[in-house]
Amino acid sequence: MSDFSYLSAPRTTPYNYRTVVDVFNETSTSYPEKEILIYRGIDGTRNALTYHQLKNEATKLARYLVSKGIKKGDKIALFGPNTLEWVIAELAIIMAGGVVVHVTLSITDVKDLWEIFSSADCKAFLIDPGKGEKYLDMIFQLIALFRRRRPSRDYKDINSNDPTLVFLRKSEHLTSYEDLPGVLQMREMEVEFPTLYPEDEIMIFTTSGSTGKPKMVSHTHFDVNNVELGPERPKALTLAGKMYNDRPFAWGAGSPILAVCRGETRVFCDSSIVTEKSSTMKIWEVIREEKCTTALLMPSFLADLISQKENYKESFKLQAIITTGQPIENYHTQVIDTYARFLIFGYGSTESSMISMLPPIKSAGTIKAGDVGTPIPGTEVKVIGENLNVLKKGETGEICIRSRYLFNGYYQNEDLNKEAFLPGKWFRSGDVGHITKDDHIIIEGRTKDVISRGTQRIMPCTIEDVILQMNGIKLAIVVGVPDKRLYEEVCVCYVTEPGFDLSPSDLKQFCKDNFVMYESTGGLAEAPTYFLRFCKIPLLEMGKINKRKVKADAIQRLRTQGLI
């Protein structure tokens, strides 16, 4: 067996060399009356679409787009919350030969929205104006930008000379434009759909932006159709089951197209309520009422479920909870037996889809920090050093990925693509970690998170793992802060469990007791220098820790105190 940090998992099934439209047509023909999409409101609202309804309505909208001049390869921006209409729109764009440019709800500045629209050279925009007037200000400003006028909500001189705009629900403020309900009432249009091929581009995602400005990630029919389900989720199980998925549709892990093509009913709520702790058990009630078999849930949602564990008396439990997007700890495994029979953790990214998975976790407290399992079939992983050469197992470096369903590259960003790809089409993930002797991938952090203290490179996770062992610590985030002498110093930002009053001095003493070399020549030990208590850690829209904000807040507080 090689000592190199390299892993390869052979694919056990043939590649699916078809388009998304071909797969959808086959599945919808086989199960026309099956409810494939179910929207649930926490107020009891329930709306659903069968395959027959979805196909009929998506086809009508696709015909309309073609009649308006949309051609194969045209980029079409799609913006809005999780709704049935959103899925109709996405499928219609793909049927028409267009490329869906996903615009996340975290984009709330019209200038950012316009930048995405113009950078992708979008030919149309499909927008959900939201309930009430939630997005109207931004929409009117966007329309004004289309017409090169000063943004103003009072600007009423709007007409169809603008780039094609279709709104996914009716609004009394937007009557000059077509909306989806109106399109569905139109007489059937005779148009010719373009011929599609598996290598054709169909989606552009924007990255989550947790470490910097979002990038535009392109995927093809082939990429989408060949994402592995994992050994615990064979096709027969997905066809028979229901999955609740709390991710926004505009995210890679939230895209409903995979479920629609594979026949797995998708149950969803408005993604904006997911991060509200008060909604946790209401959402769980939706999951129970719909008799879901699996659920894709954020680690923060798992923590909220665990906090209600003592009060949960129902016998209902999921077959599996799947979580991904950020590392999990043994604490999260407490959902096992109470809320699910087992827990599945996957490691992936917008660029590469799923990369690796842990074997199903069937008992609480049985995972190693940072362990993301082994590669899924069809994926290769290696770890490289600063000289870009492959390291030996156990040595820490940057994790690189290669697979047939890896993304094609960042859209219209050749400079970034040159940095991101190595010879042989290896993608540099930006994650730092190592491969163990038993061939598991251990994630230690991000290359951008590495703290440079003097000549030493410190991984925040190595310190966080120690801090989290302290009784009463709920969350610990380690960041680098400026230092005139050493370039960066180590700062711990922490949140305590309810009922615990731990001061920075308490943590400093704990570190003295638990780091082997708290004081060392030149001050180059790993032990932290600064400790800041937070009431709560800032999060991004879907529960990921906002590391940039944590770092900025820490620097500001330390400067205010005159420490840096």
Side-chain angles (χ1 to χ4, degrees):
M1 183 178 293
S2 172
D3 287 334
F4 285 121
S5 289
Y6 170 84
L7 298 175
S8 175
R11 188 177 172 95
T12 56
T13 56
Y15 286 107
N16 188 356
Y17 193 74
R18 293 187 294 170
T19 69
V20 162
V21 177
D22 288 338
V23 175
F24 170 75
N25 284 337
E26 179 185 278
T27 310
S28 60
T29 300
S30 300
Y31 309 97
E33 299 309 315
K34 177 177 180 174
E35 287 186 335
I36 188 60
L37 296 164
I38 301 172
Y39 168 79
R40 287 295 308 268
I42 58 175
D43 60 354
T45 305
R46 187 183 194 275
N47 295 302
L49 280 177
T50 65
Y51 265 118
H52 174 75
Q53 292 170 322
L54 177 59
K55 183 176 181 179
N56 182 51
E57 295 184 12
T59 302
K60 284 185 177 180
L61 180 55
R63 291 183 184 280
Y64 171 82
L65 292 173
V66 173
S67 74
K68 296 292 287 185
I70 295 301
K71 296 181 175 55
K72 181 178 176 179
D74 283 348
K75 311 298 187 294
I76 302 178
L78 179 57
F79 175 86
N82 288 3
T83 61
L84 297 173
E85 292 79 7
W86 198 101
V87 188
I88 293 168
E90 180 170 55
L91 190 58
I93 293 169
I94 295 171
M95 286 178 167
V99 179
V100 186
V101 179
H102 294 91
V103 182
T104 67
L105 287 174
S106 59
I107 304 296
T108 56
D109 189 313
V110 70
K111 293 179 180 178
D112 293 335
L113 202 64
W114 177 255
E115 182 180 356
I116 291 173
F117 185 90
S118 56
S119 295
D121 191 25
C122 293
K123 305 301 182 186
F125 213 140
L126 274 58
I127 303 175
D128 189 327
K131 296 179 180 179
E133 301 184 1
K134 188 171 184 179
Y135 302 115
L136 280 181
D137 281 329
M138 187 166 60
I139 289 171
F140 276 102
Q141 290 181 61
L142 185 65
I143 290 172
L145 282 173
F146 283 152
R147 296 177 57 79
R148 299 296 190 271
R149 301 286 185 90
R150 181 180 178 183
S152 169
R153 183 173 176 174
D154 297 326
Y155 180 61
K156 303 298 183 181
D157 181 21
I158 53 179
N159 58 48
S160 58
N161 292 328
D162 299 320
T164 301
L165 281 169
V166 178
F167 293 98
L168 301 185
R169 69 178 90 189
K170 286 185 176 296
S171 171
E172 62 181 13
H173 303 284
L174 300 166
T175 55
S176 297
Y177 287 88
E178 293 293 353
D179 53 54
L180 180 59
V183 170
L184 296 179
Q185 295 299 316
M186 291 180 180
R187 184 176 299 176
E188 197 75 21
M189 301 178 184
E190 291 297 326
V191 300
E192 184 176 344
F193 288 140
T195 301
L196 305 177
Y197 298 94
E199 289 87 358
D200 289 340
E201 190 178 52
I202 58 168
M203 295 179 183
I204 294 177
F205 293 99
T206 53
T207 59
S208 63
S210 60
T211 56
K213 185 177 180 179
K215 301 178 286 286
M216 301 175 76
V217 177
S218 169
H219 281 289
T220 67
H221 289 272
F222 185 91
D223 300 341
V224 174
N225 279 334
N226 287 286
V227 173
E228 280 284 343
L229 292 170
E232 295 298 318
R233 301 186 67 240
K235 186 173 181 179
L237 178 61
T238 63
L239 286 171
K242 282 183 181 179
M243 173 183 269
Y244 174 83
N245 189 333
D246 64 15
R247 300 301 203 272
F249 287 165
W251 286 33
S255 174
I257 287 298
L258 187 62
V260 164
C261 288
R262 292 188 170 177
E264 182 174 40
T265 298
R266 169 81 174 264
V267 180
F268 63 94
C269 297
D270 187 335
S271 59
S272 66
I273 67 171
V274 174
T275 55
E276 300 172 5
K277 190 173 182 179
S278 60
S279 299
T280 300
M281 297 313 295
K282 295 177 183 178
I283 292 173
W284 183 260
E285 183 63 16
V286 166
I287 293 172
R288 187 188 68 82
E289 288 177 356
E290 290 296 336
K291 299 179 181 179
C292 293
T293 49
T294 57
L296 180 64
L297 302 171
M298 295 182 299
S300 59
F301 192 93
L302 302 191
D304 292 341
L305 284 177
I306 293 165
S307 70
Q308 298 293 322
K309 186 176 178 180
E310 297 301 319
N311 300 321
Y312 184 66
K313 307 300 181 184
E314 299 288 341
S315 60
F316 170 79
K317 66 179 69 173
L318 292 162
Q319 180 70 17
I321 288 176
I322 304 166
T323 191
T324 185
Q326 67 188 76
I328 61 170
E329 303 163 9
N330 278 316
Y331 173 77
H332 295 105
T333 64
Q334 293 182 45
V335 296
I336 298 170
D337 289 334
T338 301
Y339 297 104
R341 290 179 172 81
F342 54 87
L343 178 66
I344 296 175
F345 176 71
Y347 162 57
S349 68
T350 306
E351 292 88 348
S352 59
S353 300
M354 196 60 71
I355 297 168
S356 66
M357 297 182 75
L358 279 171
I361 306 165
K362 298 182 179 180
S363 58
T366 57
I367 61 173
K368 180 180 179 181
D371 191 349
V372 296
T374 56
I376 63 169
T379 302
E380 297 174 272
V381 176
K382 70 177 180 180
V383 181
I384 62 172
E386 292 184 1
N387 59 5
L388 306 186
N389 291 328
V390 181
L391 299 174
K392 298 289 186 179
K393 286 183 177 176
E395 296 179 342
T396 296
E398 184 177 3
I399 293 170
C400 299
I401 316 298
R402 182 166 66 182
S403 76
R404 284 289 304 277
Y405 33 87
L406 191 68
F407 79 129
N408 284 340
Y410 296 110
Y411 182 72
Q412 292 190 347
N413 198 330
E414 288 306 312
D415 290 340
L416 185 56
N417 287 332
K418 289 176 182 178
E419 295 178 11
F421 286 93
L422 297 173
K425 295 185 178 179
W426 283 97
F427 171 62
R428 302 179 65 173
S429 70
D431 289 324
V432 174
H434 67 273
I435 293 174
T436 64
K437 295 295 183 182
D438 60 351
D439 292 339
H440 273 231
I441 304 165
I442 307 295
I443 301 297
E444 300 177 38
R446 295 282 297 171
T447 54
K448 293 180 180 180
D449 294 337
V450 175
I451 299 170
S452 298
R453 177 195 262 169
T455 59
Q456 187 180 23
R457 291 167 61 82
I458 299 173
M459 291 305 305
C461 69
T462 61
I463 300 173
E464 291 166 357
D465 290 344
V466 175
I467 300 295
L468 288 170
Q469 294 173 25
M470 185 178 184
N471 191 31
I473 293 294
K474 180 179 181 179
L475 191 60
I477 306 299
V478 172
V479 297
V481 296
D483 184 82
K484 292 180 179 179
R485 176 170 170 264
L486 299 175
Y487 182 67
E488 282 188 308
E489 263 296 1
V490 180
C491 177
V492 176
C493 305
Y494 68 96
V495 177
T496 61
E497 295 281 4
F500 286 84
D501 185 17
L502 299 174
S503 69
S505 296
D506 294 329
L507 268 73
K508 186 172 183 178
Q509 184 59 51
F510 178 84
C511 289
K512 283 185 176 181
D513 296 338
N514 287 273
F515 282 88
V516 176
M517 294 180 63
Y518 192 84
E519 297 293 343
S520 64
T521 304
L524 299 181
E526 288 190 349
T529 300
Y530 303 115
F531 303 86
L532 295 173
R533 184 174 180 177
F534 282 62
C535 294
K536 61 180 181 179
I537 295 292
L539 302 176
L540 292 167
E541 179 193 15
M542 283 305 294
K544 284 188 177 183
I545 293 169
N546 190 337
K547 294 180 180 178
R548 297 175 67 202
K549 183 68 165 58
V550 172
K551 183 171 182 173
D553 288 351
I555 291 172
Q556 182 179 3
R557 287 174 61 178
L558 291 172
R559 283 178 174 162
T560 300
Q561 297 173 32
L563 297 175
I564 61 173

